[in-house]
Amino acid sequence: MSLASTPAHIRIDKLTFDYGGERPAVDTLSFDIAKGEFIGLLGPSGCGKSTTLRMFAGLLAPTSGKIIMGGEDIVSRPPWERNLGLVFQSYALFPHMTVAQNVAFGLRLRKVGKEESAARVAEALRAVRLEGFGNRRPAELSGGQQQRVAIARAIVIEPEILLLDEPLSNLDARLRDEMRFEIRDIQSRTGITTLFVTHDQQEALTMCDRIAVMNGGKLEQIGTPVEIYDKPATPFVAGFIGRANSVPATLRLGPGAPRLEHEGQALPAPDLQELPSDAADGAKLAAMVRPHAIQLSRQDGDGLTARVNRSVFVGSVIEVELELAGGHKLVAELRPGSAEAQLAQPGADVALTWRTTDMRIFAA
Amino acid sequence: MTKFLSFISRAYVTLVFCIVFMPMAIILVISFSADSYLSFPPSGWSLKWYGTVLGNTSFMQGFRNSAIIAVIVAALSLALGLPAAYALVRLDFPGRALIRSLVIAPLVLPAMMLGLGILMVFTPAGLVATYPGLVLAHLVMTLPFSIRILQTSLSNLGTDVDEAAMTLGARPLQVFMQITLPRLTPGVIASSAIALILSFDEIVLSLFIVGPRLQTLPVALYRYVDERTDPMVAVLAVLMIALSLAIVLVVERSVGFAKAFGR
């Protein structure tokens, strides 16, 4: 999806929430959301993602910054005038109303006529595959069904944006996988712009068009799941999304192409564009490489020398713990049955290499 | 050993229950006495004292007064307690923590002191021996309970559901009337029932401010016991226990006490 050409549907501009703690809970956060986009707000707990969502919904007043929706700053509007759908982690259904009454609540407040309301409620329940559940009470439904009622209730008012606050974390593992696709499917069918808050990188990677990674109240990186995974912009993103090894490296600018060394041994040749522009000879850097990108070979020339500490079969891959000459440890994932896996016997000495394109370089 | 311990604990619980319920059982038995004085066990059985009580103007007047006052007190406790509880739980204002702890002050003060204070304020205000006076005095006792019960119910509700309603377009008053209040029903019933029972049984504060023109049932009973002791007292006690029990049962049946108290 080419987002540069799509006009921003919603723009978050330097949004800040500072309740006087050590640092702002949300710090000058800015990003755009395109119409119909499914965007994930991902980060560890306390990173400010939930605070951002609450400011979006109008349940928390930002210290400064703007939220532009439909060309207007909505920050000063109360929640009931924002026209957005919010789905809570706890579902927050109205227990004293039937499913249909729950879904119709927003329509009733908008003074939608009885017949139209009934039709739209039926349509929303069909969208979440809960036809025929209209007369049940929330307490009679399973967690996954309650979740879908909450979504139906939020989308029936045709909100500008659907806000999902950790919607899957109260479900058991099997249902969580199911609901992941279900939610994404509902979103694609209705085309509702969605902001999905989660701490689970797997959820974010599998569901979102784009992911905004937050840490310490700041935006670390925003991009497609592939971009975030393959080209993490910061060491935090590299470590938070997927597994990553970080190898301390020293930059050697000497004659010829720049090289990276670890304990005097050469790392695979770095991509010149990756190197920090201000890095001088001898600069301390960190080379990031994913476990599955590491290739093992016999010690006969190129590569970092390492010893195999441990080799564990975990089903689809073999996880190998490797120790470099200086004692630094790495994890590699090998395909079971491959020649590499044969080499990975505990105590064996091996050489490690990886492709230049699989390595990211950060200032240490 | 465990068997022995379980026997001991069962015996202990039985003993405690006996101590608690023995007086009530004795009173229940005496209320059916045919004697003209309080004695246990009674020498004969009859229902005549029930008839005497129902024919006693002083008691029936007291009952009427107590019932009227209790209903008004329960209604006002809710009307005043609900906004107070809402403010203490949901709104943030300076001094909230202080007010939260001050609210229960009337419960820890000796009732005697409260009564004296109330008398000194009410006399110049002309509130002694009037309905408004008794209602106000009882409210001093019932409001802390109402506020505490409603506070607990409210905080147990959480804010998610109300916030969900708000994002769906409901204004604060609509949220309160359509979402918060219906979900608060158990707490509302429980706090009203407690206020009703407390007011109906209240004696210490009432003693200070009743007069010959206006007497509550507990005060009438107390005065009567002062002069005479016949099974009529036991009958009244049984009737009052029955009434309180009925209210408790209604609460238990409609919402469940544990739920009403938000546990």
Side-chain angles (χ1 to χ4, degrees):
Chain A
M1 174 143 72
S2 148
L3 290 153
S5 58
T6 329
H9 176 51
I10 291 159
R11 164 162 288 167
I12 295 176
D13 190 18
K14 299 194 190 72
L15 199 63
T16 301
F17 185 77
D18 190 349
Y19 53 79
E22 267 173 46
R23 54 168 180 78
V26 175
D27 195 356
T28 54
L29 185 71
S30 299
F31 62 90
D32 289 355
I33 304 173
K35 196 165 182 63
E37 194 177 12
F38 194 109
I39 193 156
L41 209 50
L42 174 68
S45 62
C47 73
K49 57 190 191 303
S50 292
T51 308
T52 304
L53 181 110
R54 291 182 67 77
M55 287 193 282
F56 226 118
L59 302 169
L60 212 56
T63 318
S64 62
K66 292 178 191 160
I67 300 170
I68 315 275
M69 213 157 87
E72 257 182 85
D73 183 9
I74 60 162
V75 158
S76 56
R77 274 196 230 162
W80 52 90
E81 282 172 15
R82 291 196 178 193
N83 198 39
L84 33 80
L86 177 54
V87 174
F88 283 86
Q89 188 175 342
S90 62
Y91 321 138
L93 297 179
F94 309 134
H96 56 293
M97 298 183 190
T98 64
V99 166
Q101 286 168 338
N102 262 278
V103 178
F105 186 78
L107 297 175
R108 209 178 73 210
L109 291 165
R110 282 166 179 72
K111 308 234 169 357
V112 173
K114 243 191 184 145
E115 273 171 42
E116 191 195 335
S117 170
R120 281 170 70 176
V121 167
E123 190 191 316
L125 285 177
R126 201 173 320 123
V128 298
R129 299 195 300 128
L130 280 177
E131 302 111 310
F133 282 78
N135 290 325
R136 305 267 191 100
R137 295 265 166 181
E140 301 167 37
L141 304 182
S142 71
Q145 289 168 334
Q146 290 188 29
Q147 173 81 81
R148 302 212 294 265
V149 175
I151 294 173
R153 184 179 68 179
I155 61 176
V156 76
I157 59 172
E158 291 170 3
E160 292 288 329
I161 185 165
L162 178 65
L163 307 171
L164 304 172
D165 188 8
E166 305 259 359
L168 303 176
S169 49
N170 276 1
L171 303 172
D172 62 51
R174 201 182 57 82
L175 200 55
R176 191 152 55 220
D177 286 344
E178 216 172 278
M179 277 309 286
R180 218 193 271 174
F181 295 106
E182 185 85 25
I183 288 177
R184 190 58 233 237
D185 188 45
I186 294 166
Q187 194 270 342
S188 335
R189 270 184 283 134
T190 53
I192 285 179
T193 312
T194 303
L195 183 71
F196 176 79
V197 166
T198 182
H199 66 274
D200 185 319
Q201 43 129 336
Q202 206 64 39
E203 282 175 13
L205 287 174
T206 52
M207 292 171 73
C208 300
D209 293 325
R210 280 195 307 156
I211 301 171
V213 185
M214 282 182 79
N215 183 38
K218 290 195 179 217
L219 184 69
E220 292 271 336
Q221 185 177 7
I222 183 162
T224 64
V226 174
E227 283 167 1
I228 299 268
Y229 187 83
D230 283 348
K231 298 272 174 230
T234 65
F236 172 81
V237 176
F240 191 72
I241 314 282
R243 299 171 71 182
N245 294 297
S246 176
V247 184
T250 312
L251 183 64
R252 295 284 175 229
L253 288 177
R259 286 173 301 122
L260 291 174
E261 280 179 4
H262 174 80
E263 298 284 335
Q265 293 189 324
L267 265 63
D271 183 345
L272 297 184
Q273 289 179 343
E274 282 276 322
L275 293 172
S277 53
D278 56 346
D281 183 49
K284 299 286 178 212
L285 302 172
M288 193 284 287
V289 61
R290 301 277 180 204
H292 60 76
I294 295 178
Q295 294 159 8
L296 264 64
S297 56
R298 277 179 217 290
Q299 280 184 350
D300 51 5
D302 280 355
L304 291 165
T305 54
R307 171 158 296 168
V308 176
N309 270 352
R310 219 185 358 244
S311 171
V312 184
F313 176 71
V314 290
S316 55
V317 294
I318 292 175
E319 269 181 24
V320 183
E321 189 187 271
L322 301 152
E323 190 171 331
L324 297 180
H328 191 80
K329 284 179 183 143
L330 300 181
V331 173
E333 287 172 2
L334 308 175
R335 212 153 39 77
S338 65
E340 284 179 299
Q342 299 296 324
L343 284 176
Q345 302 301 331
D349 288 318
V350 292
L352 309 181
T353 53
W354 49 80
R355 292 183 303 179
T356 296
T357 49
D358 285 331
M359 178 168 61
R360 299 281 294 157
I361 297 158
F362 302 108
Chain B
M1 189 64 191
T2 22
K3 244 183 186 170
F4 178 68
L5 272 180
S6 112
F7 171 76
I8 289 285
S9 50
R10 218 176 313 146
Y12 174 72
V13 169
T14 313
L15 181 73
V16 169
F17 268 87
C18 281
I19 292 172
V20 170
F21 287 109
M22 193 69 83
M24 286 195 236
I26 291 175
I27 281 172
L28 185 66
V29 171
I30 294 178
S31 76
F32 296 107
S33 164
D35 304 340
S36 53
Y37 47 87
L38 285 174
S39 73
F40 188 83
S43 57
W45 307 97
S46 100
L47 280 171
K48 69 170 179 180
W49 292 110
Y50 279 84
T52 324
V53 164
L54 296 177
N56 184 307
T57 7
S58 163
F59 284 155
M60 284 303 106
Q61 269 294 324
F63 176 80
R64 215 190 60 139
N65 291 338
S66 280
I68 292 172
I69 290 167
V71 167
I72 296 173
V73 166
L76 285 179
S77 264
L78 182 65
L80 300 173
L82 192 51
Y86 189 90
L88 288 174
V89 174
R90 291 287 179 84
L91 309 180
D92 200 10
F93 52 89
R96 182 170 78 158
L98 180 71
I99 294 175
R100 262 190 196 165
S101 26
L102 279 181
V103 157
I104 53 164
L107 302 183
V108 294
L109 283 177
M112 258 333 184
M113 274 184 53
L114 272 180
L116 198 63
I118 287 171
L119 182 68
M120 297 183 53
V121 176
F122 280 18
T123 313
L127 285 167
V128 171
T130 60
Y131 277 115
L134 275 163
V135 166
L136 275 178
H138 285 187
L139 275 174
V140 174
M141 283 302 294
T142 60
L143 256 181
F145 278 100
S146 295
I147 293 175
R148 275 316 279 263
I149 294 169
L150 292 168
Q151 234 178 290
T152 313
S153 314
L154 250 177
S155 32
N156 285 340
L157 287 187
T159 52
D160 280 8
V161 177
D162 289 12
E163 286 172 352
M166 224 180 257
T167 60
L168 288 168
R171 288 157 183 283
L173 189 65
Q174 290 173 314
V175 172
F176 183 79
M177 296 306 289
Q178 299 182 29
I179 307 296
T180 319
L181 200 52
R183 294 178 68 215
L184 209 54
T185 311
V188 165
I189 291 177
S191 69
S192 303
I194 292 288
L196 200 69
I197 293 173
L198 280 179
S199 166
F200 194 80
D201 289 344
E202 213 295 315
I203 174 113
V204 182
L205 297 182
S206 303
L207 271 175
F208 279 91
I209 52 168
V210 291
R213 283 179 295 123
L214 187 63
Q215 202 159 227
T216 64
L217 185 58
V219 172
L221 180 62
Y222 178 77
R223 296 253 159 93
Y224 186 80
V225 174
D226 225 15
E227 297 159 10
R228 299 175 51 183
T229 47
D230 57 40
M232 207 149 90
V233 180
V235 169
L236 267 172
V238 166
L239 292 178
M240 288 179 77
I241 292 170
L243 196 75
S244 298
L245 204 62
I247 295 171
V248 170
L249 277 178
V250 166
V251 173
E252 177 61 37
R253 271 297 148 89
S254 58
V255 288
F257 243 93
K259 203 178 161 197
F261 284 94
R263 256 184 248 117

